[in-house]
Amino acid sequence: MYVLDSLVYRLRRGCETLPYPEGPPPALPERHGGALRLDGSKCAAGCTACLPVCPTEALTRPGPAPAQLDLGRCIFCAACVTACPTGAITPTGDYRLAARRREDLVLGGANGPETARLAAALDEKLRRLFGRSLRLRQVSAGGCNACEADTNVLSTIGWDLGRFGVQFVASPRHADGLLVTGPVSEGMELALRKTWEAVPEPRLVIAVGACAIAGGPFVGHPQVHNGAAAVVPVDLFIPGCPPHPLTILDGLLRLLGRLEQAAPGCAL
Amino acid sequence: MNARSEFLPLTNGGAVAWQEIPVWSVETLVEETAVALDDGARLCAWFGVPEGDGVSVVAVLARDAEGRLEVARSRPVRGGYPALTPRQTQAHLFERELWEQHGVKPEGHPWLKPVRRARNGAPLNGEFFRVEGTEVHEVAVGPVHAGIIEPGHFRFQCAGEEVLHLEIALGYQHRGVEEALPGGPHRATLAQMETVAGDTTVGHATAYATVMEALAGTEAPLRAQWLRALALELERLANHTGDLGALANDVAFLPTSAACGRIRGDFLNLTALICGNRFGRRLVTPGGCGFDLEPERAQRLLAGLDRAMGDLEHAAAWFWDSATVRARFEGVGAVSDRAAREIGLVGPAARACGLVRDVRYDHPAGWHRLAQVPVAVWPGGDVLARARVRWLEIQRSVQFLREQVPAGPEGPVRVPLPAPGGERLAVALVEGWRGEVCHVALTDAAGRFRRYKLVDPSFHNWTGLALALRGTAISDFPICNKSFNLSYCGADL
């Protein structure tokens, strides 16, 4: 009976794919703080209250300048938000976090921005190549399976990544780029390099999650390389531990130039 | 020494003084452990603690029927000792690990090679077991696999389509979790525990928090214990649902595969409803929980649970009603109950061999002392049985949540934790969705970690997958693999 039953059931449910990006994005969970903002002008002179609570040493305060927050290292535990006596660090609720350059994720300090500088699209030539069809090979290099799981989610019916022409493929030979997770364990360095070499040029590398950007909770361990950029050149950094699927999708679409700058959902 | 040496008993979530633990010669420890395992005990952990220029071997056993754990240790060993593995197969990976970590050689171990050590950019796997013969061929798969999945290497010895032997070589995911812990807890320790296996965040974080509380001589507030038990079942629901969907996908049964992919997300979002993170990060902390589940939020959780389970009942009914699906799973990748007992399988993989083995039932700690979950078993040991056990557990988890969500005790969800006691050993077992998560912590005189041993259920169960493949067609590897769905990083640490 399952054939009839499943057909009727499916018809009743209608389309289950998100209306985003044409419609509004799904709401983040209410206790998910989203991106962080650092207002350096609120940093009290000499205050280092946020530094010792950060598990990944994403916060630094080297001199008289305000505190500096590296969202690439950050695992978004929000311990600093609680620890800050002046409210300089606040969650914005914004799901958008992806950046093209590593330094664009560094907030505050001497002259850093208050929020992350979001990724710009690929240049015209690469956009014409990949903008409507991008095939990615995923490599987990010491990933804990959370970034992998929330990347996998994008291919389910709710998110339907295929409608943007983005697809995960089995062979690097069929791929236009790599999506890397994990801090790049020593054991995976060679495999990651070989997989990258097997992707035809021009090729992209997307680092997903705090581990792949900067080593995450394992930063500084001699068994890891503190992120994908130590082994291969990275074109897009998507922060989070793990990033929400919406954050990953936003990053991919932003890279491909599929989002207008004033996309709906900015007011989240 | 007495004629019969006695292990020191303790309970799950308990701690004992290091000095109280009986100290035997390593030969006696091997002998007594072998006898205890023959007598029905299970090996939870077997590891070394550096002591002077030697290494003390520590054995942690579980007496499931009596709800008791047992511990003993050896005098410092230098060089080697007569291996336990020839008498007790379930020790084989533990002894390889002990050799790799401390250089103590288990003499007579039949297959002594590293577990996860890397050299020249790839794990040092050594020689693989080879089957000789003109009709025999070898298939090597990985570390990078097709699909979005963690890396590991599989080496098949095949005669035609039939797999004669599968050897699984891991270590690619090694991040140095255990090595970083002595001297701790450090400020990244909780985050590392949550990512030992990211899909078992609640399981590992609960074991870690329990160990910290045991070392401090206290427990988490009852309300936190309740919330941890709820989160553990939500984690189980999400992963079991994902596994049913993945199994459906691998036999090209797309209605269930598509539905489960979405419903899995619905369960993850229920965890996020509690703490904001789909995997339960920062939900469990030493001393309690990071968040509370207020009555209004609990109502929303129950409503979401009903919606997701309603959908899942449909998706699962299509799956089980289809004779083609059942035929694909029946008799494939069977592990006998005898083999399961010998290699020390845990979790749904063990229960699918008919073994009644579940930490929530056998060694209840925390909220499980007050609210029990029945053990879901299914005989046969094949892919069908592993899928059936998952479906039974999904139903029991939903039932547990429906009963327990409204039954939360009053009180705080966290309390400040006193400093850990010095020179104490604490053990915590948690029934994660894959099976038994075991954490053992030993402190130094100052109360810092002297040694911390982590055992993910995957460490026990990878051997089960290797055995399941014997005599199976290599084309059935994907469904066998999905039916176990083990963690690479949890085994590699």
Side-chain angles (χ1 to χ4, degrees):
Chain A
M1 279 309 292
Y2 74 86
V3 176
L4 256 181
D5 179 43
S6 63
L7 279 175
V8 171
Y9 181 83
R10 290 296 312 134
L11 280 171
R12 276 213 195 111
R13 291 194 67 97
C15 177
E16 293 193 62
T17 305
L18 303 171
Y20 175 84
E22 281 74 33
L28 287 179
E30 61 188 64
R31 281 173 169 169
H32 189 301
L36 292 173
R37 175 195 300 275
L38 173 57
D39 180 358
S41 67
K42 288 187 180 166
C43 278
C47 172
T48 55
C50 57
L51 269 52
V53 301
C54 180
T56 55
E57 298 178 43
L59 279 153
T60 47
R61 191 161 191 186
Q68 195 173 56
L69 171 59
D70 180 354
L71 290 180
R73 271 193 174 209
C74 177
I75 59 167
F76 299 86
C77 68
C80 54
V81 175
T82 317
C84 178
T86 58
I89 308 171
T90 46
T92 64
D94 193 345
Y95 62 88
R96 300 167 308 161
L97 272 161
R100 292 296 303 280
R101 296 178 309 166
R102 188 66 186 81
E103 58 268 32
D104 289 346
L105 292 172
V106 181
L107 315 183
N111 48 17
E114 273 188 30
T115 55
R117 290 193 190 92
L118 297 178
L122 293 166
D123 65 36
E124 191 53 36
K125 187 174 156 229
L126 285 177
R127 249 167 92 170
R128 282 174 60 174
L129 273 174
F130 299 139
R132 290 162 59 164
S133 165
L134 179 70
R135 298 288 180 269
L136 294 171
R137 169 67 252 197
Q138 203 276 329
V139 179
S140 171
C144 76
N145 210 19
C147 288
E148 290 81 349
D150 267 353
T151 303
N152 245 331
V153 160
L154 295 179
S155 300
T156 61
I157 51 174
W159 300 85
D160 191 16
L161 194 59
R163 67 196 154 122
F164 305 107
V166 184
Q167 204 178 37
F168 290 95
V169 293
S171 168
R173 298 280 190 216
H174 302 160
D176 304 309
L178 301 181
L179 188 147
V180 184
T181 52
V184 186
S185 49
E186 216 183 314
M188 278 306 288
E189 183 196 352
L190 178 66
L192 174 60
R193 199 185 297 279
K194 281 185 170 178
T195 310
W196 180 76
E197 282 165 0
V199 177
E201 290 184 84
R203 57 198 159 199
L204 301 174
V205 176
I206 299 164
V208 171
C211 285
I213 298 174
F218 305 96
V219 60
H221 282 203
Q223 297 87 349
V224 304
H225 291 274
N226 297 334
V231 181
V232 291
V234 177
D235 301 281
L236 183 70
F237 299 91
I238 306 181
C241 186
H244 193 274
L246 185 57
T247 305
I248 305 175
L249 180 60
D250 167 79
L252 294 175
L253 296 182
R254 202 165 282 286
L255 182 72
L256 297 177
R258 301 284 295 256
L259 292 175
E260 294 305 318
Q261 276 318 79
C266 292
L268 248 180
Chain B
M1 187 169 298
N2 302 331
R4 189 88 256 156
S5 309
E6 295 279 341
F7 283 88
L8 180 69
L10 78 164
T11 51
N12 182 13
V16 292
W18 177 243
Q19 292 307 327
E20 265 179 59
I21 299 172
V23 188
W24 304 328
S25 72
V26 70
E27 291 78 10
T28 308
L29 184 71
V30 167
E31 171 63 27
E32 292 299 332
T33 304
V35 169
L37 297 183
D38 276 339
D39 192 34
R42 275 188 312 110
L43 192 59
C44 294
W46 177 270
F47 60 96
V49 175
E51 192 143 333
D53 61 344
V55 174
S56 298
V57 180
V58 180
V60 180
L61 312 183
R63 297 269 185 184
D64 293 339
E66 289 105 86
R68 187 176 78 222
L69 305 177
E70 294 182 335
V71 59
R73 59 183 168 116
S74 77
R75 282 192 278 278
V77 184
R78 291 165 199 84
Y81 71 95
L84 175 61
T85 303
R87 296 172 65 184
Q88 299 292 350
T89 315
Q90 54 184 305
H92 76 117
L93 264 177
F94 285 116
E95 292 202 306
R96 280 170 57 180
E97 186 189 45
L98 179 70
W99 174 63
E100 176 177 89
Q101 289 182 337
H102 303 287
V104 174
K105 189 172 183 189
E107 309 277 359
H109 190 293
W111 199 240
L112 192 60
K113 57 190 266 185
V115 182
R116 44 178 90 100
R117 184 180 297 157
R119 185 181 290 177
N120 301 329
L124 179 70
N125 294 322
E127 284 296 305
F128 288 94
F129 182 84
R130 295 191 83 152
V131 179
E132 300 293 338
T134 51
E135 300 287 307
V136 174
H137 66 278
E138 191 177 61
V139 181
V141 180
V144 180
H145 304 157
I148 304 179
I149 172 174
E150 294 176 66
H153 183 87
F154 302 102
R155 191 67 68 96
F156 299 88
Q157 311 291 322
C158 302
E161 275 285 288
E162 188 192 337
V163 177
L164 301 175
H165 181 73
L166 163 62
E167 188 169 346
I168 300 168
L170 301 179
Y172 295 91
Q173 296 279 73
H174 181 54
R175 296 160 295 175
V177 180
E178 264 184 23
E179 288 94 319
L181 282 163
H186 308 292
R187 55 171 147 166
T189 297
L190 178 61
Q192 291 184 2
M193 292 295 177
E194 290 176 330
T195 49
V196 164
D199 47 29
T200 316
T201 296
V202 175
H204 276 286
T206 301
Y208 169 63
T210 307
V211 153
M212 290 305 292
E213 288 148 11
L215 288 172
T218 175
E219 352 186 294
L222 204 52
R223 190 167 175 83
Q225 297 180 19
W226 163 76
L227 192 49
R228 289 173 185 178
L230 303 183
L232 193 67
E233 297 314 309
L234 286 174
E235 188 166 87
R236 193 179 325 276
L237 281 170
N239 284 296
H240 281 4
T241 302
D243 284 350
L244 287 186
L247 280 167
N249 190 56
D250 275 4
V251 294
F253 192 74
L254 297 184
T256 300
S257 160
C260 286
R262 184 185 55 77
I263 302 164
R264 178 181 163 279
D266 294 342
F267 286 128
L268 291 177
N269 287 338
L270 293 180
T271 300
L273 175 68
I274 304 176
C275 70
N277 185 289
R278 286 155 57 88
F279 295 85
R281 304 280 158 86
R282 265 77 60 197
L283 176 51
V284 180
T285 58
C289 285
F291 299 86
D292 198 359
L293 178 64
E294 307 85 345
E296 179 272 333
R297 198 178 293 273
Q299 283 311 312
R300 280 193 282 157
L301 192 148
L302 285 174
L305 185 71
D306 284 343
R307 266 197 308 278
M309 189 56 183
D311 290 348
L312 189 54
E313 275 167 350
H314 272 278
W318 306 329
F319 189 66
W320 298 121
D321 283 356
S322 163
T324 54
V325 169
R326 295 198 308 273
R328 256 327 254 107
F329 291 167
E330 252 165 15
V332 174
V335 179
S336 70
D337 55 343
R338 184 164 161 254
R341 209 171 264 121
E342 268 177 27
I343 62 175
L345 278 190
V346 295
R351 296 192 280 276
C353 297
L355 302 191
V356 182
R357 186 173 281 192
D358 187 321
V359 172
R360 291 170 295 173
Y361 177 83
D362 296 325
H363 305 278
W367 189 250
H368 293 117
R369 291 171 296 189
L370 307 170
Q372 276 81 38
V373 182
V375 184
V377 291
W378 195 276
D382 55 1
V383 173
L384 182 75
R386 288 187 282 275
R388 282 289 189 188
V389 164
R390 284 190 170 81
W391 175 234
L392 287 175
E393 293 191 4
I394 286 170
Q395 297 173 81
R396 295 321 304 179
S397 293
V398 168
Q399 189 58 33
F400 180 84
L401 287 167
R402 282 179 179 150
E403 287 166 14
Q404 296 303 321
V405 168
E410 298 289 321
V413 285
R414 63 176 168 273
V415 290
L417 199 60
E423 301 195 329
R424 294 185 73 77
L425 179 129
V427 183
L429 304 183
V430 172
E431 187 71 20
W433 66 275
R434 278 194 190 93
E436 177 181 290
V437 170
C438 173
H439 285 216
V440 186
L442 170 65
T443 51
D444 62 16
R448 312 297 294 181
F449 293 144
R450 179 173 161 202
R451 178 77 165 96
Y452 199 104
K453 181 81 205 114
L454 286 148
V455 188
D456 186 82
S458 307
F459 193 76
H460 297 280
N461 283 6
W462 277 111
T463 311
L465 175 61
L467 291 187
L469 258 288
R470 288 202 180 158
T472 300
I474 190 168
S475 50
D476 280 338
F477 176 68
I479 56 171
C480 289
N481 192 23
K482 293 279 163 46
S483 73
F484 280 88
N485 191 10
L486 301 175
S487 173
Y488 300 74
C489 57
D492 291 347
L493 297 177

